[in-house]
Amino acid sequence: MAAARPAWLADLSRSFKRHRGGRPGWFLELHRDRLRIRSDEFPARPGATGKRQAITLRTPPGPTSAAHALAEAIAIFDGVMAKAWTWPDVDAIPAADDAERLRPPAISQLIGRLHDEIVGEVVAKRTWERNYLPYLDRLLALAQVAPATDEEGLLREVLLQWPAGSRSRQMAHDRIRALWKVAGWPWPEPIAALRGNGRAAADPRGVRAFTDPEIAELRARISGSRLAPSVVTAWDCLTVFGIRPVELQGLEVREEGGVPVATVTRGKTNSHGTTGLREVVAVPPSGWPADCFELVERLNEHGIAPHLTDRRNVGDRMAHQLKRLQQNRQVKIPLHWELTPYSLRHAYALRLGIDLGLSIREASDMMGHSPAVHVSSYGRRLDTPKLNAKVQQLVRQKVLETNA
């Protein structure tokens, strides 16, 4: 019995059919784990007599890349109908002065080439789908709607879709520039200026962390909601251990000297390698008991909610929960929209440095990252108050000496 056709592929085929105006004889199908278009209306393939008239798409199959695949399929169909489409040389990349290089087929080819170069070598497939494709799809979609011959104009129009100085524009700039590097095309200098500096636009006070009153408010809202006790313990673990949401997976907690201690078994993997096991001592916010409201006993009784830890991205689920909690208007104090589950990790880092006075090396070991990352993330919050106080003292001293 043939396998059922995936829902995303059926939707993709219907969208492709709508664009063709119902024109028959065109088929979008899966073939050996790749997407291809089959049609007898393709021009004869050079030197390939007797072969089925079909072309494999560069876009990988799947629901997350369906929009990209549709744009590529439409570009091929339109080219064939206009009698302007030719069988591509899969190894050829248009030259920097080629007028066709900004059109969807060439851009789609570059995206496929970049995918082949970095996925599995530099980034994971999931990172590609989450942090590359959304930005590259914007470029492809814009080229599809309004085919451009002006490189600078196309790139400018794409990047202006994100606010100036935002992290999103930075990422869009860097992802699209990676395509140009694959092709060997020079990057326009005026476009480089559009990237901006996200750190320059960042809050001068540093990271946005939960304050102790906000943590108390968050816990009150969670406890007063219909969330299960196992969800409450998950949020408490983020609060007192400063772990990443994904590190709830495989978390082991025990009590030593009346204080909870966690063993983080979930490593973080990136291009620099994978972090190993580490132990983290609970550092509760002000007003919390040392045992963090009997956290170990509650974990032994309820555990951590499986519907959180069984997900590929625990942070997304918890972020959705937080957004619902933020919408509650019957509250003592508001929870600002900027606060995220990661803001609890920021609060933990500040307690290590400000409340406990740990050094950068000690605090970074507890956080599970390098001292350089710790300084980059928390330097402003840790050093600015001391620097301001020092300058104020020096100014007062100078004024006194001048007036003496």
Side-chain angles (χ1 to χ4, degrees):
M1 180 181 295
R5 196 179 200 199
W8 64 266
L9 181 56
D11 291 340
L12 179 59
S13 296
R14 283 192 290 268
S15 298
F16 185 42
K17 184 177 181 179
R18 282 196 296 270
H19 178 81
R20 302 193 316 266
R23 186 182 184 93
W26 288 78
F27 305 94
L28 191 56
E29 58 191 14
L30 276 174
H31 179 67
R32 296 178 182 173
D33 297 326
R34 295 300 300 271
L35 277 170
R36 74 175 184 180
I37 298 177
R38 178 167 55 85
S39 175
D40 291 335
E41 294 193 68
F42 279 119
R45 186 194 296 264
T49 57
K51 283 192 175 182
R52 177 169 288 187
Q53 297 291 78
I55 182 169
T56 300
L57 301 187
R58 278 287 196 175
T59 306
T64 58
S65 55
H68 183 187
L70 178 61
E72 186 179 359
I74 287 173
I76 292 172
F77 172 80
D78 290 348
V80 172
M81 292 297 99
K83 299 188 183 304
W85 186 86
T86 57
W87 291 98
D89 178 355
V90 296
D91 295 323
I93 292 179
D97 57 355
D98 190 332
E100 297 295 314
R101 70 191 179 95
L102 300 179
R103 298 192 178 276
I107 293 175
S108 179
Q109 178 189 4
L110 280 182
I111 292 173
R113 182 70 66 87
L114 178 63
H115 171 276
D116 294 342
E117 284 192 6
I118 68 174
V119 174
E121 295 292 334
V122 180
V123 301
K125 180 181 178 181
R126 185 161 170 269
T127 301
W128 167 265
E129 293 172 349
R130 290 171 58 89
N131 297 336
Y132 280 79
L133 267 185
Y135 301 102
L136 302 179
D137 280 345
R138 291 278 192 99
L139 173 67
L140 187 63
L142 189 59
Q144 177 63 40
V145 171
T149 55
D150 176 15
E151 175 188 57
E152 185 176 325
L154 174 64
L155 295 174
R156 181 179 298 277
E157 188 171 353
V158 173
L159 294 180
L160 289 179
Q161 296 180 54
W162 292 278
S166 67
R167 178 60 177 159
S168 296
R169 183 186 288 187
Q170 284 187 356
M171 293 183 69
H173 173 281
D174 294 349
R175 299 325 185 216
I176 297 172
R177 188 176 185 181
L179 293 183
W180 263 239
K181 289 181 179 180
V182 166
W185 301 337
W187 188 251
E189 186 174 342
I191 298 302
L194 280 178
R195 181 183 188 273
N197 187 334
R199 291 196 179 278
D203 190 327
R205 296 168 296 181
V207 295
R208 178 64 166 97
F210 271 91
T211 64
D212 286 351
E214 287 171 337
I215 290 174
E217 178 64 31
L218 172 65
R219 193 167 194 275
R221 295 191 193 190
I222 294 173
S223 300
S225 70
R226 289 182 290 181
L227 294 174
S230 58
V231 176
V232 180
T233 58
W235 282 98
D236 284 352
C237 286
L238 292 192
T239 300
V240 302
F241 296 124
I243 55 178
R244 306 172 180 93
V246 72
E247 290 173 338
L248 288 170
Q249 296 174 341
L251 188 71
E252 300 173 359
V253 181
R254 65 187 186 279
E255 190 169 296
E256 291 186 3
V259 176
V261 177
T263 300
V264 178
T265 63
R266 177 67 155 79
K268 178 185 177 184
T269 302
N270 56 27
S271 58
H272 301 292
T274 302
T275 60
L277 300 177
R278 75 178 192 277
E279 288 199 343
V280 186
V281 179
V283 181
S286 61
W288 283 43
D291 65 359
C292 304
F293 301 108
E294 300 180 337
L295 178 60
V296 175
E297 289 80 357
R298 288 187 287 123
L299 276 169
N300 290 335
E301 181 179 357
H302 304 294
I304 295 175
H307 70 276
L308 294 179
T309 56
D310 290 348
R311 293 175 61 90
R312 292 182 63 185
N313 194 329
V314 183
D316 284 351
R317 180 69 175 178
M318 301 191 78
H320 292 153
Q321 290 180 351
L322 179 57
K323 286 191 180 301
R324 290 196 298 270
L325 293 166
Q326 288 168 320
Q327 294 169 0
N328 183 358
R329 299 183 182 276
Q330 305 299 321
V331 297
K332 294 181 179 179
I333 61 173
L335 294 180
H336 198 272
W337 63 268
E338 290 181 341
L339 293 169
T340 68
Y342 222 81
S343 299
L344 291 170
R345 177 170 167 83
H346 296 332
Y348 178 87
L350 297 180
R351 290 199 296 276
L352 293 179
I354 297 174
D355 297 348
L356 302 186
L358 297 187
S359 68
I360 296 296
R361 167 66 68 181
E362 293 167 335
S364 63
D365 284 346
M366 294 287 286
M367 298 289 293
H369 54 221
S370 68
V373 168
H374 199 83
V375 171
S376 175
S377 300
Y378 306 109
R380 288 185 179 183
R381 289 296 301 269
L382 295 174
D383 296 337
T384 299
K386 300 176 185 176
L387 178 61
N388 289 345
K390 181 177 181 179
V391 172
Q392 290 168 2
Q393 181 180 356
L394 292 173
V395 168
R396 288 193 296 268
Q397 181 178 345
K398 183 177 180 181
V399 169
L400 291 174
E401 292 174 352
T402 303
N403 296 334

